[in-house]
CSV table of all heavy atoms in Angstrom, one decimal:
chain,number,residue,atom,x,y,z
K,170,ALA,N,119.5,87.1,105.6
K,170,ALA,CA,120.7,87.5,104.7
K,170,ALA,C,121.7,86.4,104.8
K,170,ALA,O,122.4,86.1,103.7
K,170,ALA,CB,121.2,88.8,105.1
K,171,LEU,N,122.0,85.9,106.0
K,171,LEU,CA,123.1,84.9,106.1
K,171,LEU,C,122.6,83.4,106.0
K,171,LEU,O,123.4,82.5,106.0
K,171,LEU,CB,123.7,85.1,107.5
K,171,LEU,CG,124.4,86.4,107.7
K,171,LEU,CD1,125.1,86.4,109.0
K,171,LEU,CD2,125.4,86.8,106.6
K,172,GLU,N,121.2,83.3,105.9
K,172,GLU,CA,120.6,82.0,105.7
K,172,GLU,C,121.0,81.1,106.9
K,172,GLU,O,121.5,80.0,106.7
K,172,GLU,CB,121.0,81.3,104.4
K,172,GLU,CG,120.4,82.1,103.2
K,172,GLU,CD,120.8,81.5,101.9
K,172,GLU,OE1,121.6,80.6,101.7
K,172,GLU,OE2,120.2,82.0,100.9
K,173,ILE,N,120.8,81.6,108.1
K,173,ILE,CA,121.1,80.8,109.3
K,173,ILE,C,119.8,80.7,110.1
K,173,ILE,O,118.8,81.5,110.0
K,173,ILE,CB,122.2,81.4,110.1
K,173,ILE,CG1,121.9,82.9,110.5
K,173,ILE,CG2,123.5,81.4,109.4
K,173,ILE,CD1,122.9,83.5,111.4
K,174,SER,N,119.8,79.8,111.1
K,174,SER,CA,118.6,79.6,111.9
K,174,SER,C,118.5,80.8,112.9
K,174,SER,O,119.4,81.5,113.2
K,174,SER,CB,118.7,78.3,112.6
K,174,SER,OG,119.7,78.3,113.6
K,175,GLN,N,117.3,80.9,113.5
K,175,GLN,CA,117.1,81.9,114.6
K,175,GLN,C,118.1,81.6,115.7
K,175,GLN,O,118.6,82.5,116.3
K,175,GLN,CB,115.7,81.8,115.1
K,175,GLN,CG,115.4,82.8,116.1
K,175,GLN,CD,113.9,82.7,116.6
K,175,GLN,OE1,113.1,81.9,116.1
K,175,GLN,NE2,113.5,83.6,117.4
K,176,ALA,N,118.2,80.3,116.1
K,176,ALA,CA,119.2,80.0,117.2
K,176,ALA,C,120.6,80.3,116.9
K,176,ALA,O,121.3,80.9,117.8
K,176,ALA,CB,119.1,78.5,117.5
K,177,SER,N,121.1,80.1,115.7
K,177,SER,CA,122.4,80.4,115.3
K,177,SER,C,122.6,82.0,115.3
K,177,SER,O,123.6,82.5,115.8
K,177,SER,CB,122.7,79.9,113.9
K,177,SER,OG,122.8,78.5,113.9
K,178,CYS,N,121.6,82.7,114.8
K,178,CYS,CA,121.7,84.1,114.8
K,178,CYS,C,121.8,84.6,116.2
K,178,CYS,O,122.6,85.5,116.6
K,178,CYS,CB,120.4,84.7,114.1
K,178,CYS,SG,120.4,86.5,114.0
K,179,SER,N,121.0,84.2,117.1
K,179,SER,CA,120.9,84.6,118.5
K,179,SER,C,122.3,84.3,119.2
K,179,SER,O,122.9,85.1,119.8
K,179,SER,CB,119.8,84.0,119.3
K,179,SER,OG,119.8,84.4,120.6
K,180,ARG,N,122.8,83.1,118.9
K,180,ARG,CA,124.0,82.7,119.5
K,180,ARG,C,125.2,83.5,119.0
K,180,ARG,O,126.0,84.0,119.8
K,180,ARG,CB,124.3,81.2,119.1
K,180,ARG,CG,125.2,80.5,119.9
K,180,ARG,CD,125.3,79.0,119.6
K,180,ARG,NE,124.9,78.5,118.4
K,180,ARG,CZ,123.8,77.8,118.1
K,180,ARG,NH1,122.9,77.6,119.1
K,180,ARG,NH2,123.4,77.5,116.9
K,181,ASN,N,125.2,83.9,117.7
K,181,ASN,CA,126.2,84.7,117.1
K,181,ASN,C,126.2,86.2,117.7
K,181,ASN,O,127.2,86.7,118.0
K,181,ASN,CB,126.1,84.8,115.6
K,181,ASN,CG,126.4,83.5,114.9
K,181,ASN,OD1,127.1,82.6,115.5
K,181,ASN,ND2,125.9,83.2,113.8
K,182,VAL,N,125.0,86.7,117.7
K,182,VAL,CA,124.9,88.1,118.2
K,182,VAL,C,125.3,88.2,119.7
K,182,VAL,O,125.9,89.1,120.1
K,182,VAL,CB,123.4,88.6,118.0
K,182,VAL,CG1,123.2,89.9,118.7
K,182,VAL,CG2,123.1,88.8,116.5
K,183,MET,N,124.9,87.2,120.5
K,183,MET,CA,125.2,87.2,121.9
K,183,MET,C,126.8,87.0,122.1
K,183,MET,O,127.3,87.7,123.0
K,183,MET,CB,124.5,86.0,122.6
K,183,MET,CG,123.0,86.3,122.8
K,183,MET,SD,122.6,87.7,123.8
K,183,MET,CE,122.9,87.1,125.4
K,184,ALA,N,127.4,86.2,121.3
K,184,ALA,CA,128.8,86.1,121.4
K,184,ALA,C,129.6,87.3,121.1
K,184,ALA,O,130.6,87.7,121.6
K,184,ALA,CB,129.3,85.0,120.5
K,185,LEU,N,128.9,88.2,120.2
K,185,LEU,CA,129.5,89.4,119.7
K,185,LEU,C,129.1,90.6,120.6
K,185,LEU,O,129.6,91.7,120.5
K,185,LEU,CB,129.2,89.7,118.3
K,185,LEU,CG,129.8,88.7,117.2
K,185,LEU,CD1,129.1,88.9,115.9
K,185,LEU,CD2,131.3,88.8,117.2
Side-chain angles (χ1 to χ4, degrees):
L171 301 182
E172 298 179 349
I173 58 176
S174 69
Q175 180 179 5
S177 291
C178 181
S179 180
R180 201 170 26 250
N181 293 336
V182 169
M183 290 297 288
L185 296 168

